[in-house]
Structure formats: structure tokens, C-alpha cells
Amino acid sequence: MAPIPATGKERPYPQSFHRSERTYKVCAVGTARLRSVVMIAVFDVGGPLIAYNQLRSAGLSTVTALVLSGVLPAVGVTINIIQHRRVDALGILVLTGIALGAVLGLAGHNAKLVLDEGSVTTAAFGLLCFASLAAAKPLMYRLALEFIGPDSPQGREFADFWQYEAFRHTFRVLTVVWGVGYLTEAVARVIIVQNTSAGTALAVSKVMPFAVAGVLMAWTFGYGQHRKRVGERLAAAAEAAEAAEAAAAAAAAAAAAHADSADVADVDN
């Protein structure tokens, strides 16, 4: 077979290759999301509820059943840490809350102390939001940057936006709202634990965090779109002001040139 002559240019990939690459990326994203949903269903919501009911049916006490069912969320957090090969502060906070609730509940033989562990971690996150406002950068900005990836091109571009006051204001507002939301959730969960049965409180404690997070994320998206429109209007206004300033300067220069021409004509006359 005769060798293929070199042309000095790389042969472009066929269109089918690009379609296959896009399909692969979409499938990869879909698989990752499905895996996240399965993890939440097994380790955070369905698994603990089923485990608690089965353990109670087997004759274990309420406190023991709650402590053992709390092992599943701890396993889920541990798996997440191993998969990402990174220990994040939220994961450590969740594990600490589970361990603290288990120890207090077993020591005091009080099911309500075990159930209140979720309220402790939720309140701690809300307080961290408010405490971070005194730091150089608020907590929600740091979490967003960590999610994007600080070393990625998108992360570096995101970090560059911090120089703008409107961007800083947006994330301070987000941090305040999320802090209020999580502190409100913590108070609501304590009230539910103290006034309902252990089974009802456990079910609510497994569903409420996702409901609250969903509401906060929806609000965050809406607020982000609002701030984007405000920024676009401000940018348009700034461009219009610059154009008007340039037009005024051009008009002034033209007037000055006309005046100079008139002066020269008077001198010639």
C-alpha cells in the first residue's frame, strides 16, 4: 500500500465522531446524575427509613433503631469522600452530627437527642453562613468556587468576577438568605421532633432538607437571573453614557475646529 502523502494539515474528524463525542458526554452527565439520585435514595432517605422500620419490627428499641439507621447516611458521606478523594467541610460536619447524636442518644436513652442531630448540623451551617460575612469572602461564594473548580478555566474566570462590587453584593445576599433558610429549617425540625413520634420525625427529617434546599436553589436561580438583568441594564447604560460622552466630545471638537476656522477667516479678511 502506498503511503499517504503528508499535507501539513491534520485531517478533520468526521461529523459522526463529534456526534458520538457529544452523545458520550450527555450519557456521562446523565449517569452521574442518576448515581447521585440513587445514592440519596439509598443512603439518605429510603434506606434509613426502611432500616428504622425493620429494626423496630424486629423488637429493637427506638433509640437503637435510630442509631443503627443513622449508619447509612454516614456510609453515604464516606463513599462520597472516597469517590472524590477529597474531605469537604460539609461531609465532616454531617459525620460529626451523626456521631454526636448517636452518643448523646445512647447515653441518655433519649430518641429525641438522636433525631436532633440533623438540626445541629443544619443550624451550624446557617451560623457558618453568617459568620463568613465577616470574612473576606462569604461561604456561598467559596462553595460555588469549590463546585466549579478553582483551578479550572471557568473557576479562574469566576474568581476574577470578585473585583466587581455587584458580584460581591450578590453573593453576600445569597449567603444571608441561605443562612436564614437553614436556621429556620433547624428550628422547624426541633419543633417537629419535640411534638411528633419518632417515626414521623425521622421521615420529616429525611425529606425536609431536600425540600428546603430545592426552594433555596430555585430562589437562587431566580435571584441570579434578576441580578444578571440588572447588570445588563447597567452595562447598557454605561455604554450609552460613554457613547454620549464621546459624541459630546466630538461635537465640542467640531465646534472648536469651526471656531478656529472662523478666526482664521476673520484674520485673512
Side-chain angles (χ1 to χ4, degrees):
M1 179 183 293
I4 299 175
T7 61
K9 296 182 179 179
E10 295 183 359
R11 178 175 296 179
Y13 289 111
Q15 189 67 24
S16 59
F17 174 82
H18 294 289
R19 285 197 298 268
S20 300
E21 186 181 21
R22 287 195 295 269
T23 303
Y24 171 78
K25 290 180 178 178
V26 170
C27 291
V29 172
T31 302
R33 289 178 178 175
L34 179 60
R35 188 185 301 115
S36 298
V37 171
V38 171
M39 288 282 292
I40 291 173
V42 172
F43 294 103
D44 294 327
V45 182
L49 291 176
I50 294 173
Y52 170 79
N53 289 321
Q54 292 298 317
L55 292 170
R56 289 290 289 147
S57 299
L60 274 69
S61 67
T62 302
V63 172
T64 303
L66 287 172
V67 170
L68 292 178
S69 65
V71 171
L72 285 173
V75 171
V77 173
T78 304
I79 291 175
N80 187 63
I81 291 174
I82 294 173
Q83 284 181 339
H84 294 87
R85 299 179 181 179
R86 181 180 61 192
V87 179
D88 61 282
L90 293 180
I92 295 299
L93 187 63
V94 171
L95 290 175
T96 302
I98 293 173
L100 181 62
V103 171
L104 293 178
L106 291 173
H109 300 285
N110 190 338
K112 296 186 185 299
L113 290 177
V114 182
L115 290 166
D116 278 336
E117 57 86 12
S119 302
V120 172
T121 54
T122 302
F125 181 82
L127 292 174
L128 281 174
C129 285
F130 284 102
S132 69
L133 295 173
K137 296 175 182 177
L139 180 60
M140 295 308 296
Y141 169 82
R142 295 180 183 275
L143 292 177
L145 182 59
E146 186 68 21
F147 177 79
I148 296 172
D151 297 327
S152 66
Q154 295 85 354
R156 288 190 290 270
E157 181 182 8
F158 182 82
D160 288 340
F161 288 147
W162 187 254
Q163 62 183 305
Y164 301 109
E165 173 58 31
F167 185 82
R168 298 194 297 269
H169 173 77
T170 296
F171 272 93
R172 291 192 185 101
V173 172
L174 290 178
T175 302
V176 169
V177 171
W178 278 73
V180 170
Y182 270 78
L183 288 177
T184 303
E185 179 195 344
V187 172
R189 291 174 68 167
V190 169
I191 293 174
I192 292 170
V193 167
Q194 298 301 320
N195 293 280
T196 62
S197 65
T200 301
L202 178 62
V204 172
S205 70
K206 296 303 178 185
V207 175
M208 182 179 287
F210 298 100
V212 172
V215 171
L216 288 172
M217 285 190 290
W219 179 87
T220 299
F221 177 78
Y223 181 70
Q225 292 297 108
H226 166 70
R227 293 298 299 176
K228 180 180 178 181
R229 290 192 295 270
V230 170
E232 289 173 350
R233 287 197 297 268
L234 291 175
E239 290 179 0
E242 290 179 0
E245 184 178 356
H258 178 73
D260 290 342
S261 298
D263 291 340
V264 171
D266 290 339
V267 170
D268 291 340
N269 292 333

mmCIF file of all heavy atoms in Angstrom, residues 44-45 48-49 66 114-119 122 185 189 192-193 198-210:
data_model
loop_
_atom_site.group_PDB
_atom_site.id
_atom_site.type_symbol
_atom_site.label_atom_id
_atom_site.label_comp_id
_atom_site.label_asym_id
_atom_site.label_seq_id
_atom_site.Cartn_x
_atom_site.Cartn_y
_atom_site.Cartn_z
ATOM 1 N N ASP A 44 -29.652 8.309 52.129
ATOM 2 C CA ASP A 44 -30.129 9.489 52.850
ATOM 3 C C ASP A 44 -31.625 9.471 53.161
ATOM 4 O O ASP A 44 -32.046 10.062 54.158
ATOM 5 C CB ASP A 44 -29.808 10.760 52.051
ATOM 6 C CG ASP A 44 -28.314 11.009 51.958
ATOM 7 O OD1 ASP A 44 -27.610 10.657 52.915
ATOM 8 O OD2 ASP A 44 -27.857 11.538 50.933
ATOM 9 N N VAL A 45 -32.431 8.850 52.319
ATOM 10 C CA VAL A 45 -33.882 8.924 52.511
ATOM 11 C C VAL A 45 -34.485 7.533 52.709
ATOM 12 O O VAL A 45 -34.870 7.148 53.814
ATOM 13 C CB VAL A 45 -34.561 9.635 51.315
ATOM 14 C CG1 VAL A 45 -36.067 9.731 51.562
ATOM 15 C CG2 VAL A 45 -33.989 11.022 51.116
ATOM 16 N N PRO A 48 -32.480 4.722 55.322
ATOM 17 C CA PRO A 48 -32.664 4.902 56.765
ATOM 18 C C PRO A 48 -34.097 4.660 57.234
ATOM 19 O O PRO A 48 -34.308 4.084 58.310
ATOM 20 C CB PRO A 48 -32.256 6.365 56.984
ATOM 21 C CG PRO A 48 -31.303 6.647 55.881
ATOM 22 C CD PRO A 48 -31.826 5.887 54.702
ATOM 23 N N LEU A 49 -35.089 5.079 56.439
ATOM 24 C CA LEU A 49 -36.490 4.871 56.839
ATOM 25 C C LEU A 49 -36.837 3.390 56.863
ATOM 26 O O LEU A 49 -37.476 2.903 57.805
ATOM 27 C CB LEU A 49 -37.418 5.619 55.880
ATOM 28 C CG LEU A 49 -37.367 7.150 55.951
ATOM 29 C CD1 LEU A 49 -38.255 7.765 54.876
ATOM 30 C CD2 LEU A 49 -37.790 7.639 57.328
ATOM 31 N N LEU A 66 -32.842 4.040 65.700
ATOM 32 C CA LEU A 66 -32.447 5.320 65.116
ATOM 33 C C LEU A 66 -30.936 5.395 64.918
ATOM 34 O O LEU A 66 -30.452 5.862 63.879
ATOM 35 C CB LEU A 66 -32.910 6.469 66.014
ATOM 36 C CG LEU A 66 -34.414 6.782 66.014
ATOM 37 C CD1 LEU A 66 -34.740 7.800 67.094
ATOM 38 C CD2 LEU A 66 -34.859 7.301 64.655
ATOM 39 N N VAL A 114 -31.186 11.791 69.451
ATOM 40 C CA VAL A 114 -30.675 11.211 68.209
ATOM 41 C C VAL A 114 -31.258 11.949 67.010
ATOM 42 O O VAL A 114 -30.550 12.252 66.043
ATOM 43 C CB VAL A 114 -31.019 9.709 68.131
ATOM 44 C CG1 VAL A 114 -30.446 9.097 66.849
ATOM 45 C CG2 VAL A 114 -30.486 8.972 69.348
ATOM 46 N N LEU A 115 -32.548 12.244 67.067
ATOM 47 C CA LEU A 115 -33.213 12.913 65.946
ATOM 48 C C LEU A 115 -32.763 14.359 65.797
ATOM 49 O O LEU A 115 -32.805 14.912 64.693
ATOM 50 C CB LEU A 115 -34.734 12.862 66.143
ATOM 51 C CG LEU A 115 -35.359 11.468 65.990
ATOM 52 C CD1 LEU A 115 -36.783 11.461 66.529
ATOM 53 C CD2 LEU A 115 -35.339 11.041 64.526
ATOM 54 N N ASP A 116 -32.340 14.973 66.888
ATOM 55 C CA ASP A 116 -31.937 16.387 66.824
ATOM 56 C C ASP A 116 -30.562 16.584 66.192
ATOM 57 O O ASP A 116 -30.144 17.728 65.976
ATOM 58 C CB ASP A 116 -31.926 16.996 68.234
ATOM 59 C CG ASP A 116 -33.324 17.427 68.668
ATOM 60 O OD1 ASP A 116 -34.155 17.687 67.786
ATOM 61 O OD2 ASP A 116 -33.569 17.491 69.895
ATOM 62 N N GLU A 117 -29.852 15.481 65.877
ATOM 63 C CA GLU A 117 -28.512 15.655 65.296
ATOM 64 C C GLU A 117 -28.585 16.394 63.964
ATOM 65 O O GLU A 117 -27.689 17.187 63.636
ATOM 66 C CB GLU A 117 -27.816 14.304 65.120
ATOM 67 C CG GLU A 117 -28.557 13.276 64.264
ATOM 68 C CD GLU A 117 -28.263 13.428 62.786
ATOM 69 O OE1 GLU A 117 -27.323 14.174 62.444
ATOM 70 O OE2 GLU A 117 -28.980 12.806 61.983
ATOM 71 N N GLY A 118 -29.636 16.155 63.189
ATOM 72 C CA GLY A 118 -29.779 16.867 61.918
ATOM 73 C C GLY A 118 -29.978 18.355 62.113
ATOM 74 O O GLY A 118 -29.476 19.180 61.326
ATOM 75 N N SER A 119 -30.687 18.715 63.176
ATOM 76 C CA SER A 119 -30.904 20.130 63.467
ATOM 77 C C SER A 119 -29.598 20.818 63.849
ATOM 78 O O SER A 119 -29.377 21.992 63.511
ATOM 79 C CB SER A 119 -31.927 20.282 64.607
ATOM 80 O OG SER A 119 -33.151 19.658 64.265
ATOM 81 N N THR A 122 -27.586 21.394 60.657
ATOM 82 C CA THR A 122 -28.260 22.407 59.847
ATOM 83 C C THR A 122 -28.058 23.799 60.436
ATOM 84 O O THR A 122 -27.754 24.760 59.722
ATOM 85 C CB THR A 122 -29.770 22.098 59.746
ATOM 86 O OG1 THR A 122 -29.943 20.802 59.179
ATOM 87 C CG2 THR A 122 -30.485 23.121 58.881
ATOM 88 N N GLU A 185 -34.948 26.104 59.051
ATOM 89 C CA GLU A 185 -35.151 24.651 58.970
ATOM 90 C C GLU A 185 -34.770 23.973 60.280
ATOM 91 O O GLU A 185 -35.475 23.060 60.747
ATOM 92 C CB GLU A 185 -34.316 24.073 57.830
ATOM 93 C CG GLU A 185 -34.469 22.562 57.706
ATOM 94 C CD GLU A 185 -33.397 21.928 56.839
ATOM 95 O OE1 GLU A 185 -32.708 22.654 56.087
ATOM 96 O OE2 GLU A 185 -33.223 20.692 56.930
ATOM 97 N N ARG A 189 -37.278 21.714 62.542
ATOM 98 C CA ARG A 189 -37.018 20.303 62.818
ATOM 99 C C ARG A 189 -37.037 20.008 64.310
ATOM 100 O O ARG A 189 -37.527 18.953 64.742
ATOM 101 C CB ARG A 189 -35.675 19.896 62.203
ATOM 102 C CG ARG A 189 -35.716 19.869 60.693
ATOM 103 C CD ARG A 189 -34.362 19.612 60.072
ATOM 104 N NE ARG A 189 -33.877 18.260 60.320
ATOM 105 C CZ ARG A 189 -32.846 17.720 59.679
ATOM 106 N NH1 ARG A 189 -32.198 18.424 58.755
ATOM 107 N NH2 ARG A 189 -32.454 16.498 59.940
ATOM 108 N N ILE A 192 -40.659 19.835 65.331
ATOM 109 C CA ILE A 192 -41.275 18.585 64.871
ATOM 110 C C ILE A 192 -40.826 17.412 65.726
ATOM 111 O O ILE A 192 -41.630 16.554 66.111
ATOM 112 C CB ILE A 192 -40.940 18.350 63.380
ATOM 113 C CG1 ILE A 192 -41.646 19.401 62.516
ATOM 114 C CG2 ILE A 192 -41.342 16.950 62.946
ATOM 115 C CD1 ILE A 192 -41.202 19.398 61.077
ATOM 116 N N VAL A 193 -39.540 17.353 66.046
ATOM 117 C CA VAL A 193 -39.020 16.262 66.871
ATOM 118 C C VAL A 193 -39.669 16.257 68.244
ATOM 119 O O VAL A 193 -40.010 15.197 68.794
ATOM 120 C CB VAL A 193 -37.489 16.366 66.991
ATOM 121 C CG1 VAL A 193 -36.959 15.448 68.095
ATOM 122 C CG2 VAL A 193 -36.826 16.019 65.668
ATOM 123 N N ALA A 198 -41.346 9.372 66.948
ATOM 124 C CA ALA A 198 -40.003 9.195 66.386
ATOM 125 C C ALA A 198 -40.074 8.845 64.905
ATOM 126 O O ALA A 198 -39.271 9.343 64.102
ATOM 127 C CB ALA A 198 -39.262 8.107 67.150
ATOM 128 N N GLY A 199 -41.016 8.003 64.506
ATOM 129 C CA GLY A 199 -41.141 7.620 63.103
ATOM 130 C C GLY A 199 -41.487 8.792 62.209
ATOM 131 O O GLY A 199 -40.904 8.965 61.129
ATOM 132 N N THR A 200 -42.449 9.613 62.671
ATOM 133 C CA THR A 200 -42.836 10.798 61.889
ATOM 134 C C THR A 200 -41.692 11.794 61.803
ATOM 135 O O THR A 200 -41.393 12.337 60.728
ATOM 136 C CB THR A 200 -44.061 11.475 62.522
ATOM 137 O OG1 THR A 200 -45.140 10.542 62.561
ATOM 138 C CG2 THR A 200 -44.472 12.708 61.727
ATOM 139 N N ALA A 201 -41.017 12.025 62.933
ATOM 140 C CA ALA A 201 -39.909 12.980 62.952
ATOM 141 C C ALA A 201 -38.770 12.503 62.055
ATOM 142 O O ALA A 201 -38.135 13.309 61.354
ATOM 143 C CB ALA A 201 -39.408 13.175 64.381
ATOM 144 N N LEU A 202 -38.518 11.187 62.039
ATOM 145 C CA LEU A 202 -37.456 10.658 61.193
ATOM 146 C C LEU A 202 -37.795 10.864 59.720
ATOM 147 O O LEU A 202 -36.935 11.278 58.928
ATOM 148 C CB LEU A 202 -37.243 9.173 61.472
ATOM 149 C CG LEU A 202 -36.175 8.470 60.622
ATOM 150 C CD1 LEU A 202 -34.803 9.080 60.874
ATOM 151 C CD2 LEU A 202 -36.160 6.978 60.901
ATOM 152 N N ALA A 203 -39.057 10.578 59.347
ATOM 153 C CA ALA A 203 -39.467 10.755 57.949
ATOM 154 C C ALA A 203 -39.335 12.211 57.519
ATOM 155 O O ALA A 203 -38.818 12.514 56.434
ATOM 156 C CB ALA A 203 -40.902 10.272 57.767
ATOM 157 N N VAL A 204 -39.790 13.116 58.383
ATOM 158 C CA VAL A 204 -39.709 14.543 58.052
ATOM 159 C C VAL A 204 -38.253 14.989 57.964
ATOM 160 O O VAL A 204 -37.867 15.752 57.061
ATOM 161 C CB VAL A 204 -40.462 15.386 59.100
ATOM 162 C CG1 VAL A 204 -40.214 16.877 58.874
ATOM 163 C CG2 VAL A 204 -41.951 15.093 59.045
ATOM 164 N N SER A 205 -37.413 14.491 58.869
ATOM 165 C CA SER A 205 -36.006 14.904 58.885
ATOM 166 C C SER A 205 -35.258 14.428 57.649
ATOM 167 O O SER A 205 -34.238 15.019 57.277
ATOM 168 C CB SER A 205 -35.314 14.376 60.140
ATOM 169 O OG SER A 205 -35.158 12.963 60.075
ATOM 170 N N LYS A 206 -35.756 13.364 56.999
ATOM 171 C CA LYS A 206 -35.095 12.864 55.796
ATOM 172 C C LYS A 206 -35.561 13.593 54.537
ATOM 173 O O LYS A 206 -34.826 13.675 53.551
ATOM 174 C CB LYS A 206 -35.348 11.357 55.636
ATOM 175 C CG LYS A 206 -34.763 10.513 56.753
ATOM 176 C CD LYS A 206 -33.268 10.746 56.882
ATOM 177 C CE LYS A 206 -32.660 9.955 58.022
ATOM 178 N NZ LYS A 206 -31.227 10.269 58.220
ATOM 179 N N VAL A 207 -36.775 14.133 54.566
ATOM 180 C CA VAL A 207 -37.338 14.791 53.382
ATOM 181 C C VAL A 207 -37.136 16.304 53.421
ATOM 182 O O VAL A 207 -36.837 16.935 52.398
ATOM 183 C CB VAL A 207 -38.829 14.449 53.251
ATOM 184 C CG1 VAL A 207 -39.459 15.224 52.090
ATOM 185 C CG2 VAL A 207 -39.022 12.950 53.043
ATOM 186 N N MET A 208 -37.263 16.895 54.610
ATOM 187 C CA MET A 208 -37.219 18.351 54.729
ATOM 188 C C MET A 208 -35.940 18.983 54.174
ATOM 189 O O MET A 208 -36.011 20.013 53.487
ATOM 190 C CB MET A 208 -37.408 18.782 56.189
ATOM 191 C CG MET A 208 -37.425 20.293 56.369
ATOM 192 S SD MET A 208 -37.684 20.815 58.085
ATOM 193 C CE MET A 208 -39.429 20.426 58.271
ATOM 194 N N PRO A 209 -34.741 18.426 54.415
ATOM 195 C CA PRO A 209 -33.536 19.074 53.876
ATOM 196 C C PRO A 209 -33.575 19.247 52.362
ATOM 197 O O PRO A 209 -33.126 20.265 51.835
ATOM 198 C CB PRO A 209 -32.413 18.129 54.308
ATOM 199 C CG PRO A 209 -32.941 17.429 55.509
ATOM 200 C CD PRO A 209 -34.404 17.258 55.251
ATOM 201 N N PHE A 210 -34.100 18.256 51.650
ATOM 202 C CA PHE A 210 -34.146 18.345 50.191
ATOM 203 C C PHE A 210 -35.206 19.352 49.739
ATOM 204 O O PHE A 210 -35.015 20.050 48.741
ATOM 205 C CB PHE A 210 -34.415 16.968 49.597
ATOM 206 C CG PHE A 210 -33.349 15.971 49.916
ATOM 207 C CD1 PHE A 210 -33.522 15.049 50.934
ATOM 208 C CD2 PHE A 210 -32.156 15.969 49.216
ATOM 209 C CE1 PHE A 210 -32.530 14.136 51.246
ATOM 210 C CE2 PHE A 210 -31.147 15.065 49.521
ATOM 211 C CZ PHE A 210 -31.339 14.149 50.545
#
